[in-house]
Amino acid sequence: MIRLAVLISGRGSNMIRLAKAIKDYEIAAKITVVISNRRCTGITLAQNCGLATKVIKRKDFNTQAEHEAAIAAAIHYHRSTYVFLAGYMAILSGDFVNQFAGRIINIHPSLLPKYKGLNTHKRALMNKEKYSGCTVHYVNSRLDSGKIILQKRVKISKNETEKTLTRKILIQEHKLYPKAISKIFNL
């Protein structure tokens, strides 16, 4: 069975969708721990689902390396074989990524390689793109540059706003992440 550590920073909607896909037998996996870099709604939701949780705040450590060592220790303690980033809003160092090379997956709200980083919807709208979407990709040491696993394209309407585009793409993220797991592990 695939053992997933899920890293979050916010509301945890993609983590909850993964948990639902597991519960509904869409994917054969287990979420071993949900880790956040701050106290957030997603941690409460994970606890309500009976999932193990750990809040590991950056401010509690002198260096990023110490912070990431604590995250890695939690991942190892729960014997997680893969790390899924689901709205984790911190950039992981090359050392951390290399420790889990080929086993860190991220979901990003744009059609990579376009619009890496933050404010993806705003930038797509400012550039009058006809399409945006979401991408599931492997994480490497360069921001949002790992090998693409799956993408889903979303048409941008003429009167689209950041809020409506965010909502449209999030719906697709919730569908895409479980499909990516199935693809990765040939389920």
Side-chain angles (χ1 to χ4, degrees), residues 130-150:
K130 293 183 181 185
Y131 295 94
S132 188
C134 51
T135 304
V136 177
H137 65 96
Y138 287 100
V139 174
N140 63 20
S141 60
R142 291 175 293 127
L143 181 65
D144 296 326
S145 297
K147 181 181 174 188
I148 292 171
I149 300 164
L150 284 177

Side-chain angles (χ1 to χ4, degrees), residues 21-37:
I22 291 166
K23 183 181 176 193
D24 294 346
Y25 303 103
E26 293 175 37
I27 51 177
K30 176 181 179 161
I31 296 176
T32 57
V33 64
V34 177
I35 301 170
S36 181
N37 56 349

Side-chain angles (χ1 to χ4, degrees), residues 16-17 33 61 80 86 107 122 143 148 162 171 177:
I16 290 297
R17 177 60 185 108
V33 64
F61 298 88
S80 309
I107 189 154
K122 181 179 183 178
L143 181 65
I148 292 171
E162 270 186 79
I171 289 167
Y177 225 171

Side-chain angles (χ1 to χ4, degrees), residues 112-126:
L112 292 175
K114 281 189 171 185
Y115 307 115
K116 298 174 183 180
L118 300 174
N119 303 312
T120 58
H121 308 312
K122 181 179 183 178
R123 291 187 285 156
L125 292 170
M126 284 175 50

